[in-house]
Amino acid sequence: MKFPFQTVALIGKYKTPGITEPLLRLAGFLTEKGLSVVVDKLTSDHLERHDYSEAELDEMGGAVDLAIVLGGDGTMLNIVRTLAPHRVPLVGVNQGRIGFLTDISLDNMLPTIGDILEGKFVTEQRMLLQGSVLRNGVEVFKALAFNEVVLHRGNTSSMIEFEVNIDNEYLSTQRADGLIAATPTGTTAYALSAGGPIVHPALDLITLVPVSPHTLSNRPIVLASKSVLEIAMNRAGDVWLHCDSHSSFQLEENDKVVIGRYAEPACLLHPVGHSYYHTLREKLFWNKAP
Amino acid sequence: MKFPFQTVALIGKYKTPGITEPLLRLAGFLTEKGLSVVVDKLTSDHLERHDYSEAELDEMGGAVDLAIVLGGDGTMLNIVRTLAPHRVPLVGVNQGRIGFLTDISLDNMLPTIGDILEGKFVTEQRMLLQGSVLRNGVEVFKALAFNEVVLHRGNTSSMIEFEVNIDNEYLSTQRADGLIAATPTGTTAYALSAGGPIVHPALDLITLVPVSPHTLSNRPIVLASKSVLEIAMNRAGDVWLHCDSHSSFQLEENDKVVIGRYAEPACLLHPVGHSYYHTLREKLFWNKAP
Amino acid sequence: MKFPFQTVALIGKYKTPGITEPLLRLAGFLTEKGLSVVVDKLTSDHLERHDYSEAELDEMGGAVDLAIVLGGDGTMLNIVRTLAPHRVPLVGVNQGRIGFLTDISLDNMLPTIGDILEGKFVTEQRMLLQGSVLRNGVEVFKALAFNEVVLHRGNTSSMIEFEVNIDNEYLSTQRADGLIAATPTGTTAYALSAGGPIVHPALDLITLVPVSPHTLSNRPIVLASKSVLEIAMNRAGDVWLHCDSHSSFQLEENDKVVIGRYAEPACLLHPVGHSYYHTLREKLFWNKAP
Amino acid sequence: MKFPFQTVALIGKYKTPGITEPLLRLAGFLTEKGLSVVVDKLTSDHLERHDYSEAELDEMGGAVDLAIVLGGDGTMLNIVRTLAPHRVPLVGVNQGRIGFLTDISLDNMLPTIGDILEGKFVTEQRMLLQGSVLRNGVEVFKALAFNEVVLHRGNTSSMIEFEVNIDNEYLSTQRADGLIAATPTGTTAYALSAGGPIVHPALDLITLVPVSPHTLSNRPIVLASKSVLEIAMNRAGDVWLHCDSHSSFQLEENDKVVIGRYAEPACLLHPVGHSYYHTLREKLFWNKAP
C-alpha cells in the first residue's frame, strides 16, 4: 500500500439515481486536498459532465493508490474482485443503510475520508477464493470470488450428485441442491441463508455449506484456507458454477471443479473505531425487542 | 374402492434389471387366484415375452380395481399422480430397501399381496397438491404433485423474489432460492432437506418451506389444506415451477402461481401392522448408536 | 359464550408501572356502558384505591362473560390457562408492542373494546395441552399448557435419554437436552427457538420439537391433536417437566409423562380485520430491508 | 514428547466389563518390548490382580512418556484434560465402534501400538479451552474443557439472559437456553446437536453456538482462538457453567464468565493413514443409501 495516497479511484453504483452529487462532492474534496482523482468509466457515463479523468475499472488497478466505492455491498463485491489482484486498498461508502463492506455513511463521508487520507484507518486483509473448472485436464473456466464459489443445480428439478475431495482425500459423495465454498466475508451472505455459521472476517478459512442436502447429517464444515477442494460431477444434469453471483459457467459430466484460496487478499480500509460486531447487530436485527 | 379386487394393474420400475422375474411371478400368482392382470405398457416393453394384457398407464385408470407397483418411492410417486384421479388404490413393493411409499418387501410379496386380496389391509388416504400458473389471467400450466410443488430459481445465480398470499391475504415478500409447498407425504422428501418439519401423512396440511431464505426468521409454516396460495413473481429472472421433480414450467414476470389441495386423495393400501414410525426410524437412521 | 356481555373481568400485568391509569379508564368505560366490572384481586392490590368489585382469578371463571387482559403475551398466557376451563372468552390489550395474543393497542383500546361489546369481533378457538406424570401408575402431577409442555434436563450437564411413544406405538429413543410438545400457539414461542415450524393457530395439531438432539435426523414432527404421547424416562438424572414455563415438576426414574390435548379450547376474541400474518411479519421482522 | 517412549500409562474405561483382558494383554505386550507400564489406579481397582505398578491419574503426568486409553470418546475426554497440561501424548483404543478420539480398534491394537512404538504415527495438536468464573473480581472457579465450555440454564423453566463480550468489545445480549464455546474437537459433540458447524480439528478456533436462541438470527460464530470471551449474567436465575459435562459450577447474578484458549494443546498420536474424514463419514452415517 502506497501511503500517503496520491491517486484515488472513484467508483459508484451507477444505476442509483442521485449518485452524481455525492460522487462529485467527494471528487472535489479530494482535489482540494491535492490528490488526483480517476473516475471509473462506467460510473462516469452515468454522471453529469465533469472534468475528472476517467479509466476503465480493469485498467486502473496499477495506476491508483486507493479506491473509494459509493454504493452497497453488491457494488463493493464487484470492485474488490477486480482490484484485489492489484493490491489496491478499498474504502466503502454506503448510501443509506450500513453494509458489511460499506461501513462509512454518506453523512460522515467527507470527514471520515479526510481522516483516512491522514492515515487514521484500520487495515483489514480479507481472503478471496478462486474457482476453476477442468475438462479433460484442461482449464476451461477460472474466476475469483470474494463471497463464495457455488456449485448449484440449474433448470433441473432434481438434486445434483457430486463427489467432494479435500487435499486429495475423499470427503463424501453428496446429493443436494448445491454446495457453497464461502470466504469469511461470504459467511454473512448466501452461505448464512443456507445454514452456515458466521466466520469472523479477519480469519483465513474456507467454509463448506451444503444447500438442502439429502443427508440430514451433512453439515457445514470449516476448513483451513490452504485446503484445496476438488469436486467431481458424478452424473450429467444442468449444473452450474457461480462465483459471487457474477461469473457463471455450465458444467458437463466428468468436469472437475477446483476451489482454493486466491494468492492476493483484498485490502479494506475502515475508519478508526470500526466494529464488525456492531455491523452484525445492525444487519441481523440483534437486540431488537422481539 | 371396488372390493374384492378383480382386475389388477402391474407396474414396474422398468429400468431396473431383474424386474421381469418378480413381476411375472406376481402376475402368475394373481392369475392363479382368478384375477385379471393388466401390465403397464411401458413396463411390458422392458419385460420378456408374456401373455398378459397390456394398457397405457393413463388409460387403465377406469379399468382396474387395484394397482401394484414394484420399484422405489420414485416409481410410486409417478404412478400415484396418474391413478389418484381415478381413485385406484395402490400397493407398493420395494426392491431392496424399505420406502416411505413402498412398504412391502420382495421377500414377503406373495403372502402379503395374498392377504391384501383377502381384505387384510389398512387403507390410507393421502392428499395431493395441484399447482397451476396464470399468465394474464389465463391458465398456462397445471399439474398434480404428490410430494411437493416447488418454485425455484433456474440458471440464474441470484436469489429470486416473490410475494406470497394465502387465502387472498398478504403473507410476505420473500427472497430465497425457492419455496416448497409440500404435502404431508412430501415432508420426508425435498422439504426435509430444506429444513421443514415431518408432518404425519394421515394429516391434511400444506407445509410451506423456504429454500435458503434471505431473511433468517423466514421459517417453515404449516397451513390448513384448504388454504390456497398465490405467489406473484416480482422480478424477471429464470424461475421455474416444479411438480414432484416431474412436470416443470418456466415462469415469466408477472405470472401468478396458484397452489391448492387436489380434490381426490390418493388411496394407499398397507399390510396390517404397517407402521409409519418404523419406516421413519429405518429411513432416518434413528436409534443407531452414534 | 354469553353475548351480549354483562360482566367483564379486568386483569393487568400488575408489576408494570402505569397499569393503573388505563385499567381504571377501561373500567370506567365499561361501567358507563352499563356492564359490571370485576377486577382480578392480584391486579387490584397493585392499583390505587377504586370501587370496583374484586375476585380471585381462579374464582371468577364461572362469574364473568368476558375477560380483558392488559399486558404482554406472558400475562395473557397465564390467564388463558386459568379461564379456558370455564370457557370465558378473552381479549388482549398490549402495552406497547404488538403481541401474538395481545393484538389490541392501548391507543385504540376504548373504541376497539366498544366494537367488541357490540358484537364486532372474530372468535378464535385455540387448543391447549395437558401434561401429567404417572409414578407407579399414580398421577402425581397435572397441568395445562397454552404454549408447550417441555421435558428438559435440569442441573445435569449431560443430555437426557427417554423413550417416546405415540398412541401406544413406539416412535424412538431420544438423547437430547429435551423435548417440546407445542400447541399451534406455542410454535411461535420456545419451539421456534428450538428449530420447530410455525403452525397456523387455527389448526388443531401437536408439534414435537427435540431440543439439541444427539441424532441429527431427529427433526420436528407435526401430529394430530388427538394423539397421545407417552414419554418414559430411561435413566435417572435431573429431568423436569415444564408447562408454559409456569408449572414445573421434577421427574424420577421410571416416571411416565403423558401429554394430550385438553378438552376445552381457549376462546380468543379479535377485532374485525385482525391478521395473524400481520403479527408474524411484525414479530419476526419480515420485510425489513436487510 | 520424549521418543522413544519408555514409560507408558494405561487407562481403561473401568466400568466396562471385559476391560481386564485387553488391558493386561496390552500391558504384557509393552513389557515384552522392554517398556515400563503404569496402570491408572482407578482402572487398576477394577482389574483382576496384576503386578504392574499403579499411579493416580493426576500424579502420573510428569512420569510417563505416553498414555494409552482403552474406552470410548468419553473416557478419552477425561484423560486428555488431566494429561494435556503435562504434555503427555495420548493414543485412543476404542472398544467396538470407532470414536473421534479413539481411532484404533481392539482388533488391530497390538500391531498398531507396535508401529507407534517404532515411531510410525502422526502427531496432532488440539487446542483446549479454559473456563473460569469471576465473582466480585475474584476467581471462584476454573476448569479445562477439551470439547466445550457451556453456559446453560439449570432447573429454571425460562430462558436465561446474558451479555457477551469478545476481546473487550460488546457482541450482543442474548436470551437462550445457553451458549456453547466449543473447541474444534467439540464441534462434533454437543455443539453439533445445537446447530453448530463442524470445524476441522487441526484448526485453532473457538466456535460460539447459541442453544435455542430467542433471536432467530443469532447464529453460530467462528472466532480466532486467541479471542477471549466474557459473559456477564444480566439476571438472577439458575444458571450453570459446564466444562465438558465434567466440571459444573452454579453461577450467581453479576458473575462474570471468562473463556479462552488454554496454553497447552493436547497431543494425540494417530496411526499412519488415519483419516478424519473417514471418521466423519462413519460417525455421521454419510454415504449410506437413504
Side-chain angles (χ1 to χ4, degrees):
Chain A
M1 190 165 67
K2 269 187 267 168
F3 183 82
F5 307 118
Q6 293 180 347
T7 308
V8 179
L10 292 189
I11 305 125
K13 184 181 178 185
Y14 50 84
K15 289 177 191 161
T16 308
I19 193 75
T20 291
E21 189 279 325
L23 200 138
L24 293 184
R25 181 153 48 99
L26 179 56
F29 175 81
L30 294 168
T31 307
E32 273 173 37
K33 297 264 178 191
L35 287 85
S36 301
V37 166
V38 184
V39 180
D40 162 52
K41 180 73 172 63
L42 203 56
T43 306
S44 188
D45 292 349
H46 289 75
L47 296 179
E48 299 160 14
R49 274 186 69 98
H50 63 82
D51 296 329
Y52 300 101
S53 54
E54 298 175 358
E56 300 281 351
L57 183 65
D58 51 9
E59 288 169 5
M60 60 169 59
V64 299
D65 307 332
L66 176 70
I68 303 179
V69 179
L70 276 76
D73 281 356
T75 312
M76 191 73 167
L77 209 61
N78 288 325
I79 309 308
V80 165
R81 254 194 330 261
T82 308
L83 296 184
H86 301 280
R87 308 187 182 190
V88 177
L90 292 116
V91 167
V93 179
N94 69 66
Q95 294 187 281
R97 201 155 172 274
I98 192 173
F100 279 109
L101 301 173
T102 49
D103 53 340
I104 298 172
S105 75
L106 214 49
D107 294 343
N108 300 322
M109 179 176 67
L110 294 193
T112 309
I113 300 287
D115 284 350
I116 287 175
L117 296 179
E118 290 172 16
K120 294 174 189 155
F121 56 78
V122 178
T123 305
E124 190 186 34
Q125 306 283 341
R126 291 201 182 185
M127 67 170 280
L128 286 90
L129 285 171
Q130 182 170 282
S132 58
V133 178
L134 298 182
R135 184 168 293 165
N136 301 319
V138 178
E139 189 177 84
V140 290
F141 173 79
K142 180 157 71 172
L144 295 187
F146 191 37
N147 266 346
E148 72 277 298
V149 179
V150 183
L151 185 82
H152 205 277
R153 67 176 167 107
N155 287 340
T156 174
S157 62
S158 315
M159 288 185 166
I160 58 176
E161 187 177 308
F162 47 92
E163 185 186 306
V164 181
N165 290 271
I166 302 175
D167 300 327
N168 295 315
E169 196 184 337
Y170 174 64
L171 176 71
S172 63
T173 301
Q174 307 193 2
R175 285 181 59 208
D177 274 353
L179 181 67
I180 304 168
T183 65
T185 300
T187 61
T188 48
Y190 181 39
L192 192 60
S193 291
I198 297 167
V199 174
H200 194 288
L203 296 168
D204 253 28
L205 294 165
I206 302 175
T207 303
L208 284 190
V209 181
V211 183
S212 304
H214 183 262
T215 299
L216 300 181
S217 61
N218 182 359
R219 295 279 290 270
I221 304 183
V222 179
L223 299 168
S225 65
K226 69 182 177 196
S227 285
V228 175
L229 304 173
E230 280 190 14
I231 306 173
M233 296 294 97
N234 271 6
R235 289 200 248 172
D238 191 35
V239 186
W240 290 74
L241 192 73
H242 303 293
C243 291
D244 276 358
S245 310
H246 182 80
S247 301
S248 295
F249 185 82
Q250 189 172 22
L251 297 171
E252 297 183 0
E253 202 174 352
N254 298 319
D255 277 358
K256 190 186 285 182
V257 173
V258 180
I259 302 171
R261 178 172 50 174
Y262 178 64
E264 286 298 326
C267 174
L268 304 186
L269 305 190
H270 299 292
V272 172
H274 163 73
S275 163
Y276 173 66
Y277 300 136
H278 171 77
T279 308
L280 270 185
R281 287 194 300 274
E282 289 296 308
K283 301 294 283 183
L284 297 180
F285 302 112
W286 291 353
N287 296 343
K288 298 257 174 190
Chain B
M1 190 165 64
K2 269 188 266 168
F3 184 81
F5 308 119
Q6 291 180 348
T7 307
V8 180
L10 293 189
I11 304 124
K13 185 181 177 185
Y14 51 83
K15 289 177 192 162
T16 309
I19 192 76
T20 292
E21 189 279 324
L23 200 138
L24 293 184
R25 181 153 48 100
L26 179 57
F29 175 82
L30 293 167
T31 307
E32 273 174 35
K33 296 264 181 191
L35 286 87
S36 301
V37 167
V38 183
V39 180
D40 162 53
K41 181 75 174 59
L42 205 56
T43 307
S44 188
D45 292 349
H46 290 75
L47 296 179
E48 298 160 14
R49 274 187 70 95
H50 63 82
D51 296 329
Y52 300 101
S53 54
E54 299 175 357
E56 299 283 350
L57 184 65
D58 51 8
E59 288 170 4
M60 60 169 59
V64 300
D65 307 331
L66 175 70
I68 303 179
V69 178
L70 277 76
D73 281 356
T75 312
M76 191 74 167
L77 210 60
N78 288 325
I79 309 307
V80 165
R81 257 195 327 262
T82 309
L83 296 184
H86 301 280
R87 307 188 182 188
V88 178
L90 291 116
V91 167
V93 180
N94 67 68
Q95 294 186 280
R97 204 157 168 271
I98 193 172
F100 279 109
L101 301 173
T102 49
D103 54 339
I104 298 173
S105 75
L106 214 48
D107 295 344
N108 300 323
M109 179 176 66
L110 294 194
T112 308
I113 300 287
D115 284 351
I116 287 176
L117 297 180
E118 291 172 15
K120 294 175 189 154
F121 57 77
V122 178
T123 305
E124 190 185 33
Q125 306 283 338
R126 292 202 182 184
M127 68 171 278
L128 286 89
L129 285 170
Q130 184 171 281
S132 58
V133 178
L134 297 181
R135 184 168 294 164
N136 302 319
V138 178
E139 188 177 83
V140 289
F141 174 78
K142 180 156 70 172
L144 296 187
F146 190 38
N147 266 346
E148 72 277 299
V149 179
V150 183
L151 185 81
H152 205 277
R153 67 177 168 106
N155 287 340
T156 175
S157 62
S158 315
M159 287 186 167
I160 58 176
E161 188 178 308
F162 48 90
E163 185 186 307
V164 181
N165 290 272
I166 302 175
D167 301 326
N168 296 314
E169 197 184 337
Y170 175 64
L171 175 71
S172 63
T173 301
Q174 308 193 1
R175 285 181 59 209
D177 275 353
L179 180 66
I180 304 168
T183 65
T185 300
T187 60
T188 47
Y190 181 40
L192 192 60
S193 290
I198 297 167
V199 175
H200 194 288
L203 296 168
D204 254 28
L205 295 165
I206 301 175
T207 303
L208 283 190
V209 181
V211 183
S212 304
H214 184 262
T215 299
L216 300 181
S217 60
N218 181 0
R219 295 278 291 268
I221 306 183
V222 178
L223 299 168
S225 64
K226 68 181 178 197
S227 285
V228 175
L229 304 173
E230 279 191 14
I231 306 172
M233 296 296 95
N234 272 6
R235 288 199 248 172
D238 191 35
V239 186
W240 291 73
L241 192 73
H242 303 292
C243 291
D244 276 359
S245 310
H246 182 81
S247 301
S248 295
F249 185 82
Q250 189 172 22
L251 297 171
E252 296 183 2
E253 203 174 351
N254 299 320
D255 277 357
K256 191 186 286 183
V257 173
V258 181
I259 303 171
R261 178 172 50 173
Y262 178 64
E264 287 297 326
C267 175
L268 304 185
L269 305 190
H270 298 292
V272 173
H274 164 74
S275 163
Y276 174 66
Y277 300 135
H278 171 76
T279 308
L280 270 185
R281 288 194 299 275
E282 289 295 309
K283 301 293 284 183
L284 297 180
F285 302 111
W286 291 353
N287 296 342
K288 298 257 173 190
Chain C
M1 189 165 67
K2 268 189 266 169
F3 184 82
F5 307 119
Q6 293 180 345
T7 309
V8 179
L10 292 189
I11 306 124
K13 185 181 177 186
Y14 50 82
K15 289 176 192 163
T16 309
I19 192 76
T20 291
E21 188 280 323
L23 200 138
L24 293 184
R25 181 152 48 98
L26 179 56
F29 174 80
L30 293 167
T31 307
E32 274 173 35
K33 297 264 179 190
L35 287 86
S36 302
V37 166
V38 184
V39 179
D40 161 53
K41 180 74 173 61
L42 204 56
T43 306
S44 187
D45 291 350
H46 290 76
L47 296 178
E48 298 160 15
R49 274 187 68 100
H50 63 82
D51 297 330
Y52 301 100
S53 55
E54 297 176 358
E56 299 282 350
L57 183 65
D58 52 8
E59 288 170 4
M60 59 169 60
V64 300
D65 307 330
L66 176 71
I68 302 178
V69 178
L70 277 74
D73 281 356
T75 312
M76 190 75 167
L77 209 60
N78 288 325
I79 309 308
V80 165
R81 257 195 327 262
T82 309
L83 296 184
H86 301 280
R87 308 186 182 191
V88 177
L90 292 117
V91 167
V93 180
N94 68 67
Q95 295 188 283
R97 202 155 170 274
I98 193 173
F100 279 109
L101 301 173
T102 50
D103 53 341
I104 297 172
S105 75
L106 214 48
D107 295 343
N108 299 322
M109 179 176 67
L110 294 194
T112 308
I113 300 286
D115 284 350
I116 287 175
L117 296 179
E118 291 172 15
K120 294 174 190 155
F121 57 77
V122 177
T123 305
E124 189 185 35
Q125 306 284 339
R126 291 200 183 186
M127 67 170 281
L128 286 90
L129 284 170
Q130 183 171 281
S132 58
V133 178
L134 298 181
R135 186 168 294 165
N136 302 318
V138 178
E139 189 177 83
V140 290
F141 174 78
K142 181 156 71 173
L144 296 187
F146 191 37
N147 266 347
E148 73 276 300
V149 179
V150 184
L151 184 81
H152 206 276
R153 66 179 170 104
N155 287 341
T156 174
S157 63
S158 315
M159 288 185 167
I160 58 175
E161 188 178 308
F162 48 90
E163 184 185 307
V164 181
N165 290 271
I166 302 175
D167 301 324
N168 295 314
E169 196 183 338
Y170 174 64
L171 176 70
S172 63
T173 301
Q174 307 192 2
R175 286 181 59 210
D177 275 353
L179 181 67
I180 304 168
T183 64
T185 299
T187 60
T188 48
Y190 181 38
L192 192 60
S193 291
I198 297 166
V199 175
H200 194 287
L203 296 169
D204 253 28
L205 295 165
I206 301 175
T207 303
L208 285 190
V209 182
V211 183
S212 303
H214 183 264
T215 299
L216 300 181
S217 60
N218 182 0
R219 295 278 291 270
I221 305 183
V222 179
L223 299 168
S225 64
K226 69 182 178 195
S227 285
V228 176
L229 304 173
E230 279 190 15
I231 306 173
M233 296 295 96
N234 272 6
R235 290 199 248 172
D238 191 35
V239 186
W240 291 74
L241 192 72
H242 303 293
C243 291
D244 276 357
S245 311
H246 181 82
S247 302
S248 295
F249 185 81
Q250 189 172 22
L251 297 171
E252 297 183 359
E253 202 174 350
N254 299 320
D255 277 358
K256 190 186 287 184
V257 174
V258 181
I259 302 171
R261 177 172 52 172
Y262 178 64
E264 286 299 326
C267 174
L268 304 185
L269 304 189
H270 299 291
V272 173
H274 163 74
S275 163
Y276 173 66
Y277 300 134
H278 172 77
T279 308
L280 270 185
R281 288 193 300 273
E282 288 297 308
K283 301 294 282 184
L284 297 180
F285 302 111
W286 291 352
N287 297 342
K288 298 255 176 192
Chain D
M1 190 166 65
K2 269 187 266 169
F3 184 81
F5 307 120
Q6 293 180 347
T7 308
V8 180
L10 293 189
I11 306 124
K13 186 181 177 186
Y14 50 84
K15 288 176 193 163
T16 308
I19 193 77
T20 292
E21 189 279 324
L23 200 137
L24 293 184
R25 181 152 48 99
L26 178 56
F29 175 82
L30 294 167
T31 308
E32 273 173 37
K33 297 264 181 191
L35 287 85
S36 300
V37 166
V38 183
V39 180
D40 161 53
K41 180 75 173 60
L42 205 56
T43 307
S44 188
D45 291 350
H46 289 76
L47 296 179
E48 298 160 16
R49 273 187 69 98
H50 62 83
D51 297 330
Y52 300 101
S53 54
E54 298 176 357
E56 299 282 350
L57 183 65
D58 52 8
E59 289 171 3
M60 59 169 60
V64 300
D65 308 329
L66 175 70
I68 303 178
V69 179
L70 277 76
D73 281 356
T75 312
M76 190 76 167
L77 210 60
N78 287 326
I79 308 308
V80 165
R81 257 194 327 262
T82 309
L83 296 184
H86 301 280
R87 308 187 182 189
V88 178
L90 292 116
V91 167
V93 179
N94 69 67
Q95 295 186 281
R97 204 157 167 272
I98 193 172
F100 279 110
L101 301 173
T102 49
D103 53 339
I104 298 173
S105 75
L106 214 49
D107 294 344
N108 300 322
M109 178 176 66
L110 295 193
T112 308
I113 299 287
D115 285 349
I116 288 175
L117 296 179
E118 291 172 14
K120 294 175 190 155
F121 56 78
V122 178
T123 305
E124 190 186 34
Q125 306 282 341
R126 292 201 182 184
M127 67 171 280
L128 285 90
L129 286 170
Q130 183 170 282
S132 58
V133 178
L134 298 181
R135 185 169 293 166
N136 303 318
V138 179
E139 188 177 83
V140 290
F141 174 79
K142 181 156 69 173
L144 296 187
F146 190 37
N147 266 345
E148 73 276 299
V149 179
V150 183
L151 185 81
H152 205 278
R153 66 177 168 106
N155 287 340
T156 175
S157 63
S158 315
M159 287 185 167
I160 58 176
E161 188 178 307
F162 48 89
E163 184 185 307
V164 181
N165 290 270
I166 301 175
D167 300 325
N168 295 314
E169 195 184 338
Y170 174 64
L171 176 71
S172 64
T173 301
Q174 308 193 1
R175 286 182 58 211
D177 275 352
L179 180 67
I180 304 168
T183 65
T185 300
T187 60
T188 48
Y190 181 39
L192 192 60
S193 290
I198 297 167
V199 174
H200 194 287
L203 297 168
D204 253 28
L205 295 165
I206 302 175
T207 303
L208 284 190
V209 182
V211 183
S212 304
H214 183 262
T215 299
L216 300 181
S217 60
N218 182 0
R219 295 278 291 269
I221 305 184
V222 178
L223 299 168
S225 64
K226 69 182 178 196
S227 285
V228 175
L229 304 173
E230 279 191 15
I231 305 172
M233 296 295 94
N234 272 6
R235 290 199 247 172
D238 191 36
V239 186
W240 290 74
L241 192 72
H242 303 293
C243 291
D244 277 357
S245 311
H246 182 82
S247 302
S248 294
F249 185 82
Q250 188 171 23
L251 297 170
E252 296 183 0
E253 202 174 350
N254 298 321
D255 277 358
K256 189 186 289 184
V257 174
V258 180
I259 302 171
R261 177 172 51 174
Y262 178 64
E264 286 299 326
C267 175
L268 304 186
L269 304 189
H270 298 292
V272 173
H274 163 75
S275 162
Y276 173 66
Y277 300 134
H278 171 77
T279 308
L280 271 185
R281 287 194 299 274
E282 289 296 308
K283 301 294 282 184
L284 297 180
F285 302 111
W286 292 352
N287 295 342
K288 297 256 175 192

